[in-house]
Structure formats: C-alpha cells, structure tokens
C-alpha cells in the first residue's frame, strides 16, 4: 500500500482528529492574519498590528466550532457566521474571523445537496457582506467587504465541486457493483439452465432405453424355455438398447467435461433424421407405431430438431409404459408455414392406463414442456375422447416476426 493510501485510511479512521487539526490550522492562520495590515498610509504596504481581545475571542470561538463541523454542519455554520458578523461590525482593524465561516460553508456544501448549498450559500454571503457594508467601520465599497463576498462564494463553490465529484465516483462504483452482480446472476442462471437441460436429456435417455430393456428382458424370461430363438432375439434387442443408452449417456455426461478434454464426445445430437431408428426400437419391443411425415425433409435448427426428437421419444415411451404393447401409436411430423407440428397419438387399447400420460409422478411431460418452451413453441397434452392420449407440439422453425414481415 502506498503512503498516500495509508494516509487516507488513517484519516478515514479518525475523522475527529482531522477536524481538530483543521480547526487548529484555521486558528493559526486567523491569528497570523490578524497581525498583518495590508493597508498602510502609502498604499499597499505591509505592517504589524495588534488584534484586540474581542477579535482573539471570536477567532477562538470560530475555530473551536469547526471541531464539530461533521456532526452538525449547519449549526457550526450559524456559530461561525455569527462571530464573523460581530467581527465585521466591531473590528477596526478587522481580523480574518470569516475564514472559519468559509470552512464551515464548504463543509455544508460538501455534505448536503445542491439546492441546500445554493440557499445556505446565498444567505451566508448576503448576510455577512450586507452586515460588513452597512454596519461596519469601513466604506461599503471597501476591498475587505468585497473579499467577504468572494471568499464565502469560493467556499460554497469548492464544497459543491467536492460533493459532485464524490457523487460521480460513487455512481461509478455503484455501476461497477451492479455490473458485477448482474454477471454473477447471469452466470448462475446459465448454470441452472445447463443443469436443467442435462437433467432432461438424462431423463429422456434413461426412461426410453430402460423401458425397452425392461420389456425385452421380460419377453426373454417368458419364452426362454419354450422358444429359445425368440428369447435370443429379445436379448439381442436388450443388448442393442443398452448399447444405445450407454452411447447417449456418454454423449450427455460428456458435456460436463472440460473443453480441451480429448475424450469429450463429438457426436451430434439426435434429430428427426433418426426418427426411423427410434420408431424401430419401439416396434422391436412389440409396440405398433405408424409414422406420417409431411415436413419436406426441411432443415431444422439444432435445438428444434432435438426438441422434436425428444418429444416423440418421450411420448412413445409413455405409450409403451402406460398403454402397453397392444396399443397402437401414430406419429406425425408436418410442416405448417413457419412451424413444424409434431403429434403423437395412441388409442389406449393396451393393458395400462393410457389416460395418465405420465410416468407415475415422473418428469416426462414436464421435460417435454420445458423443451418446447425453450424454443418458443407450444405444447398441448391430454386424454383423447374415447380413450388414449394425445401429445401435440408446435415448434417454430424460424423467427415468427421475420416470417410475418416477409421480404422487403
């Protein structure tokens, strides 16, 4: 820490000591100034004069009041102004008692607002100068009277300048602190969003593949003794589903690795181009799924493509889990203007309760809704009339505002 910085810390820790030192310095300056006579008989000459007892008392009172200038600046200004008026009316020759008033007025201007500074400053200047001009022993146009007006004006202006600078510096600090808080809040928000996204991905991957593994393992256990070939086929599907689950889990968890980690996965996120593979896994598990596409193989933004894939994956997983393999599901992907519409229906003809459309208190529908909201789309879910469940998502392919404006 530099010498100046240490000095500032010491002064800030002991403001009363600083005020006492300032009061002592002002007293010394006033006493020294009272012995100087700039108005000699032959023009501006410097001689030595002796102040009277009243002037010395007034100087002492004015200097002593400055010790309390931080605690009660207006009261100190009133006291110093009063002794200055007395000196201005009775002093001949006049002692520089007004110096204490200048310091007090500076303190008021530096510690209050600008309107108060204007009112108090003008009042002080007017009263002191008027008293010196009208009731003092010197002519009204004397330089000493004009000096009172000038020095009080300088004190008020200097205090206002210091206050403005302090306010400016404090505003800069406040903006810096606000910017820092904003950066921290933004970082926390991004971390929360990333954790939520990873949680959705993990849920979608685990729910889908584990459901398939569970069904195929049950089939294998049921036909192991009587139909070993079919059991072997079911186990092959189990192996394939587990391999896919491990691959997607590795890709998802790999997002938590450092950017320079050579083991971080580089496989792109799944999209509608893998819809046939996704449907095949459910068909292999015994679920009857029909697909209808009218999206003209349009290129979709990565976030929209992934959202559409995960919505279909989660919806079919719910059908398989709650309606059973005897249910029939329909998947449609249609391009409508600037949007892509994804619909998954089931007839509820299976063994489970298709009307729930949820995973027994899980996060399936919540995850779908969060994905749709993230891409500024809309999601509608609910039971169908006559049985079954319906999931319908509208995902914007491009910005709606730009699409509405059209070419210029």
């Amino acid at each position: 820490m530099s010498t100046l910085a240490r000095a500032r810390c010491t002064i800030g820790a002991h403001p009363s000591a600083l005020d006492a030192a300032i009061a002592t310095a002002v007293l010394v300056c006033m006493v020294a100034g009272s012995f100087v006579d700039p108005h000699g008989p032959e023009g501006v000459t410097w001689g030595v004069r002796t102040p009277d007892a009243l002037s010395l008392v007034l100087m002492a009172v004015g200097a002593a009041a400055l010790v309390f200038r931080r605690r009660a600046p207006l009261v100190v200004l009133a006291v110093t102004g009063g002794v200055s008026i007395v000196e201005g009316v009775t002093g001949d020759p006049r002692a520089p008692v007004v110096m204490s008033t200048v310091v007090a007025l500076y303190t008021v201007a530096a510690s209050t607002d600008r309107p108060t500074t204007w009112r108090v400053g003008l009042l002080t200047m007017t009263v002191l100068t008027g008293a010196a001009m009208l009731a003092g022993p010197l002519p009204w146009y004397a330089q000493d009277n004009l000096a009172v007006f000038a020095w009080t004006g300088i004190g008020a202006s200097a205090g206002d300048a210091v206050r403005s600078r302090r306010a400016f510096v404090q505003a800069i600090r406040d903006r810096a602190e606000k910017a820092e808080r904003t950066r921290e809040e933004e970082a926390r928000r991004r971390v929360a969003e990333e954790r939520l996204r990873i949680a959705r991905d993990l849920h979608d991957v685990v729910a889908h593949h584990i459901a398939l593994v569970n069904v195929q393992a049950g089939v294998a256990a049921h036909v192991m003794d009587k139909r070993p070939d079919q059991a072997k086929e079911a186990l092959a599907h189990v192996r394939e589903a587990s391999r896919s689950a491990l691959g997607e889990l590795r890709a998802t968890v790999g997002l938590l690795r450092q950017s320079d980690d050579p083991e971080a996965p580089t496989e792109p996120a799944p999209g509608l181009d893998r819809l046939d593979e996704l449907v095949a896994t459910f068909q292999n598990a015994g679920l009857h799924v029909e697909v209808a596409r009218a999206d003209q193989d349009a290129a979709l933004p990565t976030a929209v493509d992934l959202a559409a894939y995960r919505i279909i994956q989660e919806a079919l997983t719910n059908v398989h889990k709650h309606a059973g393999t005897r249910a029939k599901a329909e998947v449609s992907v249609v391009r409508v203007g600037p949007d892509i519409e994804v619909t998954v229906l089931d007839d509820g003809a299976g063994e489970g309760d298709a009307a729930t459309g949820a995973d027994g208190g899980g996060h399936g529908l919540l995850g779908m809704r969060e994905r749709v909201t993230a891409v500024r789309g809309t999601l509608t879910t609910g039971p169908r009339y006559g049985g079954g469940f319906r999931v319908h998502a509208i995902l914007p392919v491009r910005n709606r505002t730009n699409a509405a404006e059209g070419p210029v």
Side-chain angles (χ1 to χ4, degrees), residues 255-294:
L255 296 175
L256 302 176
R257 297 180 179 272
Q258 299 294 331
S259 59
D260 56 350
D261 191 340
E263 296 183 3
T266 58
E267 181 181 357
L272 291 180
D273 57 336
R274 295 175 55 181
L275 179 59
D276 293 339
E277 298 178 14
L278 176 65
V279 172
T281 60
F282 286 99
Q283 290 175 339
N284 292 333
L287 180 66
H288 181 74
V289 183
E290 296 181 357
V291 179
R293 299 188 62 173

Side-chain angles (χ1 to χ4, degrees), residues 2-354:
S2 64
T3 304
L4 180 59
R6 286 196 296 270
R8 288 179 177 175
C9 292
T10 303
I11 292 173
H14 304 87
S16 298
L18 175 62
D19 292 339
I22 291 176
T24 302
V26 171
L27 178 60
V28 171
C29 292
M30 288 190 297
V31 172
S34 64
F35 282 93
V36 178
D37 183 11
H39 306 290
E42 299 180 358
V44 182
T45 59
W46 293 85
V48 178
R49 61 179 179 174
T50 302
D52 55 23
L54 179 60
S55 297
L56 292 175
V57 172
L58 294 175
M59 286 186 287
V61 172
L66 293 179
V67 177
F68 308 97
R69 67 188 186 96
R70 295 178 191 266
R71 304 176 189 176
L74 292 176
V75 175
V76 171
L77 178 60
V79 173
T80 56
V83 297
S84 297
I85 292 175
V86 174
E87 176 63 22
V89 173
T90 62
D92 186 21
R94 187 180 298 169
V97 181
V98 74
M99 184 180 297
S100 62
T101 305
V102 172
V103 176
L105 184 57
Y106 164 85
T107 304
V108 171
S111 59
T112 58
D113 53 13
R114 180 161 293 174
T116 303
T117 300
W118 276 96
R119 290 193 296 267
V120 174
L122 289 175
L123 179 62
T124 304
M125 294 164 61
T126 302
V127 171
L128 293 184
T129 306
M133 287 183 174
L134 299 177
L138 300 177
W140 68 271
Y141 53 84
Q143 291 184 359
D144 289 358
N145 296 335
L146 298 178
V148 172
F149 182 84
W151 280 108
T152 50
I154 290 173
S157 300
D160 184 71
V162 170
R163 181 196 55 77
S164 299
R165 182 181 180 279
R166 289 175 182 171
F168 177 73
V169 173
Q170 186 61 39
I172 293 177
R173 291 177 179 174
D174 292 343
R175 285 198 296 268
E177 293 176 358
K178 183 178 180 180
E180 184 66 23
R181 289 195 302 269
T182 302
R183 285 193 295 268
E184 293 176 357
E185 292 172 358
E186 179 67 16
R188 287 194 294 267
R189 185 186 65 81
R190 290 181 178 274
V191 169
E193 290 180 352
E194 185 66 12
R195 291 176 60 185
L196 183 61
R197 188 185 65 81
I198 293 175
R200 286 198 303 264
D201 287 342
L202 288 175
H203 171 271
D204 292 344
V205 171
V206 172
H208 166 59
H209 291 290
I210 296 302
L212 295 181
V213 168
N214 180 62
V215 171
Q216 294 293 350
V219 172
H222 182 70
V223 300
M224 178 68 72
D225 297 332
K226 298 181 180 180
R227 286 174 287 180
D229 293 339
Q230 186 175 353
K232 184 182 296 185
E233 182 181 355
L235 291 176
H237 291 313
V238 169
R239 181 180 181 184
E240 182 64 26
S242 62
R243 182 185 295 112
S244 299
L246 289 174
E248 292 199 35
L249 283 174
R250 181 175 180 274
T252 302
V253 177
L255 296 175
L256 302 176
R257 297 180 179 272
Q258 299 294 331
S259 59
D260 56 350
D261 191 340
E263 296 183 3
T266 58
E267 181 181 357
L272 291 180
D273 57 336
R274 295 175 55 181
L275 179 59
D276 293 339
E277 298 178 14
L278 176 65
V279 172
T281 60
F282 286 99
Q283 290 175 339
N284 292 333
L287 180 66
H288 181 74
V289 183
E290 296 181 357
V291 179
R293 299 188 62 173
D295 55 344
Q296 293 83 37
D297 295 328
L300 302 178
T302 303
V304 175
D305 202 16
L306 175 61
Y309 179 88
R310 292 302 189 194
I311 289 170
I312 297 174
Q313 182 185 54
E314 180 62 28
L316 291 178
T317 300
N318 286 340
V319 173
H320 188 274
K321 185 182 300 184
H322 299 288
T325 57
R326 292 167 52 189
K328 294 182 180 180
E330 299 178 4
V331 177
S332 67
V333 181
V334 182
R335 177 68 179 270
V336 180
D339 303 325
I340 192 85
E341 295 191 9
V342 177
T343 306
V344 179
L345 308 173
D346 72 87
D347 57 6
E351 299 174 356
D353 182 10

